[in-house]
Structure formats: structure tokens, C-alpha cells
Amino acid sequence: MAERGGRGGGRSGGGGVVVSSGGSLDKSITLPPDEIFRNLENAKRFAIDIGGSLAKLAYYSTVQHKVARVRSFDQSGKDTEHESPYEITVQEEITARLHFIKFENTYIETCLDFIKDHLVNTETKVIKATGGGAYKFKDLIEKKLGLKVDREDVMTCLIKGCNFVLKNIPHEAFAYLKDADPEFRFQMNHPNIFPYLLVNIGSGVSIVKVETEDKFEWIGGSSIGGGTFWGLGALLTKTKKFDELLQLASKGQHTNVDMLVKDVYGGAYQTLGLSGNLIASSFGKSATADEDFSKEDMAKSLLHMISNDIGQLACLYAKLHNLNKIYFGGFFIRGHPVTMRTITYSINFFSKGEVQALFLRHEGYLGAIGAFLKGAEQDNPNQYSWGENYAGSSGLMSTSPDICPMQRERSGTFDMLEMDRLERTLVNLPLLKDPSVYIPDTVDLTDDAMARKYWLSCFEDALDGVAKRAVASQPDSVDAAERAEKFRQKYWDKLQTLRQQPFAYGTLTVRSLLDTREHCLNEFNFPDPYSKVKQKENGIALKYYQSVIESLDSLDWEERQFALVKGLLAGNVFDWGAKAVSEVLETEPQFGFEEAKEKLQERPWLEDSYHEWLERLKGSPHKCALIFADNSGIDIILGVFPFVRELLSRGTEVILACNSGPALNDVTYSESLFVTERIAATDTVIRSALKEEKLLLVQTGSSSPCLDLSRLDKGLASVVRERKTDLVIIEGMGRAIHTNYYAELKCESLKLAVIKNSWLADRLGGKLFSVIFKYEVPLK
């Protein structure tokens, strides 16, 4: 069902739009239309893809939301002494969002009426349209919307849409494994998505080789496709509806109709290496058996016959063109388990495992996305990075009747997809050893049922506290409590969906749970619930900076190196995102840097390569170190900056990378600028390094407590290359344990964190406040 809440832009009134549980428009449930056609008042441009039974609408809108900004205090007529290095202001910002909605053609008039009634500032004079319905409904669209319909080539739109989702949605593609639980296995998409084969199965089959963004070639096809299944199925079963045929097939037993190898040879055909259960002849038994066959069995046999044929054909083309990835899409797939299973089996069998059959989460939207991109070329949408807005997107549903007893009419599809334009272009960290195999996340919660159960409960338990923190962050807002409750309910609903369908948004990880929570907070105008906490803690930590530096400078070299590492670890304790820590910080206001040091595990640590690190420091200095900072306050000021200072004193340049946007109490890039300015005012080492550009402050392009090294700010990547960075330091539980624990880099790396979660500590074989200190040198 479409999500409730959010800041949809449609006005009230105008009747209801009905949505079924499968995401298709239906007479069963009536919802306010602005929950589906969100933000229509600010829509700028439209496109539509109309197939045989489904219409997919795409539109671009501007979204206004609140952003917490930091700035210098206004000094005019005021005392210049402040506890904090900056003040916080809340500003309105406008960003771009793409909306994609799927509905049945039966309701196209109702939907067009609603769209017309709610368009205010649309820049659209021409609506791009693709699909067969672009001809059938051309006059209706022009009459209803008063816009000229400009038809676009179906295949061009499909390719554009496919490239777009593969580049911008990391877990877009998945393999289907029949006996796995769950049955989806998501692939990490990386920037180098080409070349690939796209097999689009509509009425017939089109096979396209895609080499670059704009270079593709139709290389083959078949007249035996979805229309064949539908047509022959109707003749055989007298069933006229496509989805009813699929439903029959899911209940059938094809071996009652098909002749198998063992039926022909009495067993497996050992000479040719053929299994006895392999189909020797589709519908072979029907020629000799004197009996009536069930509709279910005939539908299943027909589905197998067509799917196997398509799979073999696709495999032959892939081998002919030396391609090992085939993406399948089109009306025939529909997220149907038997279809995907049969195609997958066929590809594996005929390629001997060398070619992979892949399906797409948003397959139904490819044409609409491509048509939209064709109409928005002057805005250069491909020059930006985009991210899925989890708060406004429905999730992938199970295709298994056993997992979801209320079988959807259109299982495996979305009813809504939203994508937000990101402020910065995101690219790989150049120092990744092999971007094609890099996986940011340490644990796959989709697979690990025990870990999934724990983390979902953990996020549920923390939800009331997050809602309270959100309200407290906006004391002057009259509707903060109401918005916080809407946030709480929406995120709670998301968590319940993920309990039932952990694959709803791709691979489920701690990172995706955190990111979904941030999206929901932003949806209800809570851009930075920890802004005041960070402001206060930064101010307090700055007071102690000089005394910490003086204490470190009084130590001999070897003692100082250990003290620096211990300070870095102690600083990392101060994480409001960890329940064990937040409880201490709430109840013990005097808990500080020295107290945190006492909490740390004594050496030997849980992961301990400190000796190797110390030996390395006795050698020549690194040329340039990239440090991914974690928390505000004591962490960055008393932990990270003394460490930075030591590296600079050794002759190592430092790139200090902080998040572009807020998440929990992580330090942001804009906050780091003011903190660094205050430190530089009293520390000549830092001041000189800034002046000589040996210390650079950069932003990561991320707004997450975790770290995906395949989606980093393009500017950061450029600096890393220019400075010939040879050391990467990743600190914090989110960045170094939940993500990147196993990440392999081309250069030396230091991953360090304090484990502040008792369950995770137990799983790793340690205790609360155990230490991870992982120094790695790449193999030559």
C-alpha cells in the first residue's frame, strides 16, 4: 500500500485514488490521492509509459525542506566570547525529486483528471510518451492535460531507464535463487556497468547489446514471448487474464504434461550428461496420454517452455558477443517466481554457469524513466548522482506465496518510487583495490536471520528516544511533537515491512536501516536532531584541547604514539547513536575524556595490530593520509585532531573528510570548518598546515553514519589522487565495523573503533568497549 504521511504536494479534494496491496490501482482500497501523486503542485515535467495493461507515470518536482546550517556568530554589538564555535540556523532549501508511479490503464482517465486538477506551475508543454499506449491514449492525454504528446522510441527509453537505475541504485539488480531464503540475491552495482545484454520480454522478445550510455544495438529477438504465453494459455485454459494464467502456472505440475529425459531413456542420459528430470519435450505426454490435463499443469508447462526457450536464446547471444551479464525485463517477468526461476535455470544450464541471469527491482519503470530523461536533457540529469528516497518508495514484495500468503496480483513490483537529486556527484574512492567486488557492508541482514532479528528490535527500541530527541531539537516549533509522531509511525511501519520482507529495498544492512531512518526524519522536517548537542559538545571539547596537546607533548615519542591512539579510541566512545553510551551521557553529565579512557579494553585488544603500526611509524613518513572522521565533540577535537597534528609534524599531509550532511552526532563538513578555525587560533602546527594547504578539509558527499567507499564526493576523489594518498584511516563503529571491516585498499589502512553494542561485542568474541585496531598493508 502507498505510504501514509510525508509532505505530498497534492491539494485535498479531487476525489480518491484507489490502490491495491500489490501497488496497482484497484477498487478495493481508497486512499487520498496526494499520498500517491506526491508533491504534484511543484511538478515541473512529465513523461508516461503506457503498456498493454499498466501505465507508468514519471514526473520531476522541487521539494522544499528544512536544513540546519552553522555560521559564525553575528559580532555586531555582542560579546565576542561564546561557548560554541558557531551558531545554528535553520534554512529552507529546494531540491529536486523524481517520482514514478504505476497504475492500471483501467484508471488512466481518473488519474489524468487528478493530475490536471493539481498542476500549478508545470513547465511541461509537451509530455514525452512511450509504449504501445502512447498511440492508443494519445488523444485522451492531450485532451485531459492540454499538453502535446511527443512519442519516443520504446527501446531507446528502456535502455536509458536501465542505465539510470543501474548507475544510481546500488542494489538495483538481483539474481533469483529458488531455494534460498529469501530468494533474492542483490548485486552491488558499480560505475562500470557496461557492456551488458538487455532482454526485454513483452509480447515478443527483443535482445539488445548495450555498450555505453548512448551506444546500443538490437542484435536479435523472437516472436515467442509474453504474447505467446498469453495467447496459447488462453486457448488451452480459457483463461483470458495474464495474471490469472501466472497464478495457474504457480500451482501446476509440468511433469504431468511434459516428457522428461527419463521418460524417453528410462533414466538419465549418461553419455550426454543429461539429468533424467530435464524436459525432453514440452507437452510431449499430451500426444500419447488418453486423459484430460489440468489448467494448472498446462499453464506451468507452457510457462516452462517459453521461459526455457528465451533463456537459451539469450544465453546464445551472450556467448556470441562475449557478455556475462544479462538483465531481463518486460511485461512477461512481472516478478513472477516460476518465470525467474526457469530463466535462471536455463541460463545456468546452457552457459555452464558462465553467464548470469539478473532481474531488476524497478524493471516496470524503465520506459517511464527513459522517456522522462529524453524530455529533460536540457537539465542534464545524468550529470548528477541520485539516491532512492526510502521514505517515499514502496518496497519489493515477496514472490513466494509461502512468505506472503496474500499473494499479490503483481508481486515483485513497486507502486511508487522516488529518487532525490544529490548535491554532489558520487564516485569510487580511487584507492579501492577492486571496485567491482567491493561490498561496503560487513553483515548481510537479509541472510543472517539472527542478526536481522536483533537489529530490527534494536532500531524499534530506540525509536521513541529518537522521536523525543527530534522534538527537543526544535523547542520553538509548535508542531514538532505532531511531526515527530508521524516520523515515529512511518519508520515503525518501515521496520515492520522489513521484518516480513527484509529484501524490500535491496540487501538489508545496519547501514540501510540507519539511512532509512534519516530519510524519514528529513521527510518530517527534522534535518539534524543532534545539532544542539553537537554545538554544546564542540564548545566544551575545545576548552580542553590545549591541555591535551601539552600533556601529549610532554611524553617521549613511543609513549606519545600510544597516548594518541588511546585518545583516538576514547574519543570514539562519545557516540549518541550507541544505546550503551547515550545512557551514560544522559545520566552522568561529568563523564568525559579521561573517564572514556578508563572504559577502554586493556591490551591485547580484540583486534590488535598496534605493534605493527608502531614499527611502521619508525620508518619514513606517509606522503598523505586520508582520515574519515566520525563524531563531533571530544571525538574529533580531542581524539582526531591531536592525531592529525602528529601526522603533520612527521611531514605527512592530511585530508580530513567529514560528512556533507548530518546524521546522528557525526561531525559535518561545515561544523569541522569552524572547529578547525578555533583550533588553529591556538595551535601553530594546525594553523601553518592550513595556510600551506598541508591540511585539507573535504566533504564525503554522504549523510550517513556509515561509509560507502563506492559513493564518495567527486572532489574528495580528485584530491586523493592529486595528493598521492598512501594511508587511509577509518574510525568509528559505523564506518570501520558495520561497513568497511573487510574493505581492501591499494594502500595502507588503519581501521579503528570501540565496540559500544553488547550484542555485537559478544558476536565478535569480545565485551562492551572492546577495541578494534586493524592496521593493514596491501599485498604486493
Side-chain angles (χ1 to χ4, degrees):
M1 182 180 294
E3 294 291 343
R4 294 191 177 276
R7 298 190 310 283
R11 290 191 289 253
S12 58
V17 174
V18 281
V19 180
S20 76
S21 59
S24 55
L25 293 169
D26 201 324
K27 294 179 180 176
S28 54
I29 304 169
T30 302
L31 291 177
D34 59 354
E35 294 185 9
I36 304 163
F37 297 95
R38 288 163 31 108
N39 211 44
L40 260 178
E41 288 186 346
N42 297 316
K44 303 294 181 188
R45 195 169 287 111
F46 284 84
I48 195 163
D49 173 20
I50 311 176
S53 64
L54 291 175
K56 284 78 69 175
L57 178 74
Y59 63 95
Y60 161 93
S61 73
T62 52
V63 181
Q64 195 168 30
H65 60 97
K66 288 184 169 59
V67 178
R69 296 289 186 202
V70 298
R71 69 180 186 187
S72 298
F73 284 95
D74 181 3
Q75 305 294 352
S76 57
K78 293 185 180 180
D79 182 2
T80 57
E81 293 298 319
H82 297 281
E83 290 291 312
S84 170
Y86 53 81
E87 65 175 330
I88 304 165
T89 62
V90 176
Q91 302 170 5
E92 291 285 343
E93 247 191 24
I94 294 176
T95 55
R97 177 172 290 172
L98 297 178
H99 306 255
F100 306 100
I101 300 152
K102 184 185 286 121
F103 54 87
E104 287 182 2
N105 290 348
T106 312
Y107 301 98
I108 192 167
E109 287 203 54
T110 305
C111 292
L112 290 174
D113 281 336
F114 179 79
I115 293 166
K116 180 185 176 183
D117 291 343
H118 291 74
L119 295 183
V120 178
N121 297 318
T122 179
E123 297 171 358
T124 301
K125 303 301 177 192
V126 175
I127 185 167
K128 293 288 185 179
T130 191
Y135 295 84
K136 181 178 178 180
F137 294 102
K138 176 179 181 292
D139 294 340
L140 176 66
I141 296 169
E142 290 185 339
K143 178 183 175 184
K144 290 282 186 183
L145 298 184
L147 303 173
K148 181 179 182 296
V149 170
D150 186 6
R151 293 186 290 258
E152 290 290 343
D153 175 67
V154 173
M155 197 54 62
T156 301
C157 291
L158 281 172
I159 302 300
K160 275 191 170 291
C162 190
N163 291 341
F164 185 81
V165 295
L166 287 176
K167 285 196 304 181
N168 289 287
I169 302 180
H171 292 151
E172 174 61 30
F174 63 90
Y176 186 84
L177 278 67
K178 171 190 172 186
D179 298 317
D181 181 18
E183 62 267 44
F184 307 102
R185 286 295 176 270
F186 294 94
Q187 312 290 303
M188 275 299 292
N189 291 328
H190 294 282
N192 187 21
I193 62 173
F194 306 108
Y196 65 84
L197 205 65
L198 177 63
V199 178
N200 191 61
I201 314 169
S203 299
V205 179
S206 292
I207 300 176
V208 183
K209 177 184 178 181
V210 184
E211 296 183 71
T212 66
E213 189 69 47
D214 300 307
K215 185 181 178 183
F216 56 88
E217 177 188 4
W218 185 90
I219 57 173
S222 172
S223 61
I224 300 172
T228 315
F229 174 68
W230 199 349
L232 282 177
L235 290 172
L236 290 168
T237 68
K238 308 304 179 187
T239 301
K240 296 294 185 181
K241 292 190 176 180
F242 191 90
D243 285 310
E244 288 179 12
L245 269 174
L246 287 177
Q247 194 66 19
L248 286 174
S250 68
K251 299 173 182 176
Q253 178 56 261
H254 78 98
T255 55
N256 292 334
V257 182
D258 293 340
M259 189 177 289
L260 307 181
V261 168
K262 65 184 177 184
D263 296 323
V264 178
Y265 298 103
Y269 198 155
Q270 303 295 346
T271 305
L272 296 179
L274 299 177
S275 163
N277 292 319
L278 198 67
I279 298 173
S281 174
S282 296
F283 289 93
K285 288 180 180 175
S286 61
T288 56
D290 187 19
E291 62 181 278
D292 291 330
F293 297 98
S294 73
K295 292 180 179 181
E296 290 81 1
D297 292 347
M298 288 190 291
K300 184 67 164 286
S301 175
L302 182 61
L303 187 62
H304 270 288
M305 181 181 80
I306 292 169
S307 298
N308 274 320
D309 184 64
I310 293 170
Q312 182 177 17
L313 189 65
C315 181
L316 290 171
Y317 274 107
K319 298 288 279 183
L320 184 64
H321 291 270
N322 296 314
L323 300 172
N324 58 15
K325 287 183 299 187
I326 308 177
Y327 296 106
F328 288 89
F331 181 82
F332 181 67
I333 301 293
R334 308 292 289 285
H336 192 263
V338 179
T339 309
M340 293 191 294
R341 186 167 74 227
T342 309
I343 287 175
T344 299
Y345 177 84
S346 179
I347 294 292
N348 285 338
F349 179 81
F350 289 111
S351 76
K352 297 180 180 177
E354 292 178 4
V355 178
Q356 190 172 26
L358 295 168
F359 306 93
L360 301 171
R361 288 173 56 209
H362 302 99
E363 177 276 320
Y365 288 125
L366 301 187
I369 292 171
F372 174 83
L373 293 173
K374 285 288 286 182
E377 287 173 342
Q378 65 269 37
D379 293 335
N380 296 317
N382 276 318
Q383 288 189 2
Y384 299 95
S385 291
W386 299 79
E388 184 175 358
N389 173 27
Y390 298 127
S393 294
S394 306
L396 185 68
M397 300 174 194
S398 173
T399 57
S400 167
D402 299 327
I403 295 176
C404 260
M406 292 180 66
Q407 180 73 5
R408 276 86 168 170
E409 283 190 1
R410 282 178 176 75
S411 57
T413 60
F414 281 71
D415 52 5
M416 294 163 62
L417 164 66
E418 290 183 358
M419 297 186 71
D420 288 335
R421 193 176 79 188
L422 306 179
E423 288 185 19
R424 318 192 71 77
T425 302
L426 304 183
V427 298
N428 277 319
L429 178 69
L431 296 172
L432 275 175
K433 185 176 181 182
D434 185 355
S436 67
V437 299
Y438 168 70
I439 297 174
D441 304 289
T442 305
V443 178
D444 181 347
L445 303 182
T446 324
D447 266 348
D448 193 328
M450 186 181 296
R452 178 171 74 245
K453 182 179 179 182
Y454 170 78
W455 285 109
L456 285 170
S457 296
C458 191
F459 278 86
E460 285 175 358
D461 294 344
L463 189 49
D464 287 343
V466 175
K468 288 177 183 175
R469 173 70 59 189
V471 175
S473 71
Q474 298 180 4
D476 300 327
S477 173
V478 294
D479 66 341
E482 180 186 350
R483 286 185 287 111
E485 175 54 29
K486 287 180 179 179
F487 149 74
R488 195 196 68 78
Q489 188 58 55
K490 185 160 198 175
Y491 189 55
W492 173 267
D493 290 344
K494 293 281 183 187
L495 293 174
Q496 304 324 302
T497 296
L498 291 167
R499 278 194 181 278
Q500 299 300 318
Q501 296 157 197
F503 42 79
Y505 298 102
T507 301
L508 182 66
T509 63
V510 174
R511 176 171 61 97
S512 68
L513 287 170
L514 285 163
D515 290 350
T516 303
R517 188 169 69 184
E518 293 299 321
H519 287 194
C520 290
L521 281 166
N522 279 306
E523 189 76 10
F524 296 100
N525 273 326
F526 293 108
D528 192 357
Y530 288 85
S531 57
K532 295 188 184 302
V533 173
K534 291 187 289 181
Q535 180 191 38
K536 179 181 177 182
E537 291 185 348
N538 284 331
I540 292 170
L542 282 166
K543 291 182 177 181
Y544 295 96
Y545 177 78
Q546 268 312 114
S547 62
V548 167
I549 294 302
E550 288 170 7
S551 174
L552 288 166
D553 286 346
S554 69
L555 301 174
D556 65 39
W557 183 84
E558 193 156 324
E559 285 181 313
R560 187 166 74 252
Q561 302 316 308
F562 185 70
L564 283 163
V565 165
K566 195 169 181 180
L568 198 53
L569 292 165
N572 193 243
V573 169
F574 292 84
D575 182 356
W576 281 88
K579 185 179 179 183
V581 175
S582 61
E583 287 176 350
V584 171
L585 296 176
E586 296 263 12
T587 56
E588 300 179 33
Q590 299 308 311
F591 186 86
F593 194 41
E594 296 306 317
E595 287 79 5
K597 289 179 185 176
E598 295 299 317
K599 288 276 188 185
L600 296 178
Q601 173 192 18
E602 294 291 330
R603 289 192 68 202
W605 294 322
L606 186 60
E607 175 90 33
D608 194 337
S609 47
Y610 175 73
H611 175 73
E612 289 80 359
W613 170 247
L614 186 64
E615 289 303 305
R616 172 63 185 86
L617 290 180
K618 292 174 182 177
S620 59
H622 296 90
K623 177 168 180 51
C624 180
L626 167 63
I627 302 178
F628 289 101
D630 191 5
N631 306 306
S632 285
I634 289 175
D635 191 1
I636 189 167
I637 294 168
L638 304 186
V640 173
F641 261 100
F643 200 85
V644 167
R645 188 177 188 272
E646 183 74 11
L647 288 171
L648 291 168
S649 299
R650 282 173 53 81
T652 300
E653 296 177 353
V654 175
I655 304 167
L656 184 60
C658 300
N659 272 7
S660 298
L664 295 174
N665 66 313
D666 291 0
V667 62
T668 64
Y669 168 71
S670 55
E671 290 162 353
S672 73
L673 294 176
F674 289 100
V675 165
T676 306
E677 183 183 359
R678 288 285 291 269
I679 290 173
T682 60
D683 188 326
T684 56
V685 175
I686 300 297
R687 186 164 64 247
S688 297
L690 285 170
K691 185 178 180 181
E692 297 168 15
E693 296 188 345
K694 291 181 178 178
L695 171 58
L696 297 176
L697 274 62
V698 298
Q699 48 190 316
T700 62
S702 171
S703 299
S704 171
C706 296
L707 180 63
D708 182 350
L709 296 177
S710 68
R711 286 173 70 81
L712 291 176
D713 179 57
K714 191 175 181 180
L716 183 154
S718 297
V719 172
V720 165
R721 272 191 296 264
E722 290 165 6
R723 296 293 172 117
K724 295 183 169 54
T725 303
D726 55 354
L727 172 65
V728 174
I729 300 172
I730 305 174
E731 67 136 350
M733 206 162 72
R735 290 162 175 78
I737 297 180
H738 292 317
T739 51
N740 299 302
Y741 192 69
Y742 299 117
E744 293 187 44
L745 302 176
K746 296 176 183 176
C747 67
E748 295 173 50
S749 63
L750 191 56
K751 301 167 188 174
L752 47 93
V754 178
I755 301 174
K756 295 152 289 192
N757 177 285
S758 55
W759 181 88
L760 181 61
D762 184 63
R763 180 170 258 219
L764 293 174
K767 296 179 181 179
L768 201 62
F769 300 111
S770 289
V771 169
I772 298 294
F773 190 93
K774 193 176 185 183
Y775 170 60
E776 295 176 306
V777 179
L779 296 173
K780 298 295 184 183

